[in-house]
Amino acid sequence: MPDSPLLTAAAVAVIAMAIAVVVGVGLKVLRSFRELGTDAERATYHTLHAASQAGQHLRRGLNPSGAAKAGRQLRSLLGCDALAITDTSGVLAWDGGAEEIRPRLMQLAAGAMESGRAAVLPAGAEGTGGPLAGVIAPVRAGTRVVGAVAAFAPSAGAGLVRATGEVADWVAVQVELAELDASRTLLMEAEVRALRAQISPHFIYNSLNAIASFINTDPERARELVVEFADFTRYSFRRHGDFTTLAEELRCIDRYLLLERARFGERVQVSLRVAPEVLSTVIPFLSLQPLVENAVRHGLEAKEGPGHISITAEDAGAFAEVTIEDDGVGMDPEQLRSVLAGHTDGDHVGLRNVDARLRQVYGNDHGLVVETAPGEGTLITMRVPKSQPGHDA
């Protein structure tokens, strides 16, 4: 039966549409590829992209999981048949073929790691066990050799030797950055321990004295203060987490002020204004309580008569803004600058500690803003991002 003219026309239309789609897609892909520029520019882009991807996997230093993921990217950079990453004790990652070399790699790499210089293994050399040549370059972090990068290919020309050395140096930089991140974390932990040590000598002694003064005259009040003291110290000396929520820190401040008012009575007056939407904001652990303690010890304690502390926490768009203001004795701005710069020992340790930790976590733009003058009180402002990926309370 001959084809119907309608069917023939429909078939032609479908074929024409398919050709148009294929041509359109092809032109779009071609345009996208052309947008990358010349061959050299495309090669540069792919190199930088691979390095960026590999760097993300080494942010925690040399470990099997990160090294295995980074190895795939680095092998594509070198264009070799196999690539290995080691630390000083064993092979962390192997990508590509020539697995028969892997059991002997640490023995082959021993000389390079001991001397700190790259070693070249010709194809068929004793120990390689196959037709591939190898380049083993040590990974030097500072003055230490922390591992090696080994590349295997049919020949080990000058280009592969230099490229493998550059990759090893790049891995070393990632290791140093990871160690820097780790040292910053340790520094933050040390600074929190310093704050805890600061709390210990004066506040605990004064609080226990205040509690003791109520034992005979008001036993019920003494019991309540003991509970508040226990809750405050439990929070302040907890062993887990560098971060907490604004709500938790404000609860700690409430307990602290209850204990201080047991000492000072009506001399310490407090007002609090908090926007509910910022209560869940994550902030560094013990970052508000030292500021309130600074207001009590250095602002109000030296002032005659009653003093007032005002604590506010407000929604400021992408930030939570917390202010702590007292009408105490204030301080000289030059002295304040010296304190925050770490040039003055002793007083205001908490103020300097909190300022340094905020700058470490959020950058120099997020340090404390302090307004003060002799006899004019002190206003401290802290701004932290409401959204903080990677920081858990």
Side-chain angles (χ1 to χ4, degrees), residues 1-13:
M1 180 179 177
D3 292 337
S4 162
L6 289 176
L7 289 175
T8 302
V12 170

Side-chain angles (χ1 to χ4, degrees), residues 250 253 257 270-273 292 309-313 322-324:
L250 288 173
I253 289 171
L257 289 171
V270 182
S271 62
L272 184 68
R273 189 177 74 253
V292 175
I309 297 175
S310 174
I311 304 170
T312 67
V322 182
T323 63
I324 297 168

Side-chain angles (χ1 to χ4, degrees), residues 254-302:
D254 183 54
R255 295 176 183 121
Y256 168 79
L257 289 171
L258 278 173
L259 292 162
E260 289 290 48
R261 293 187 72 179
R263 291 177 57 212
F264 294 107
E266 294 305 314
R267 281 188 59 198
V268 176
Q269 300 171 1
V270 182
S271 62
L272 184 68
R273 189 177 74 253
V274 179
E277 58 267 29
V278 300
L279 286 172
S280 60
T281 301
V282 174
I283 62 175
F285 178 63
L286 282 183
S287 57
L288 288 185
Q289 186 276 334
L291 305 183
V292 175
E293 184 173 348
N294 183 80
V296 173
R297 290 186 61 208
H298 302 292
L300 304 186
E301 193 169 343

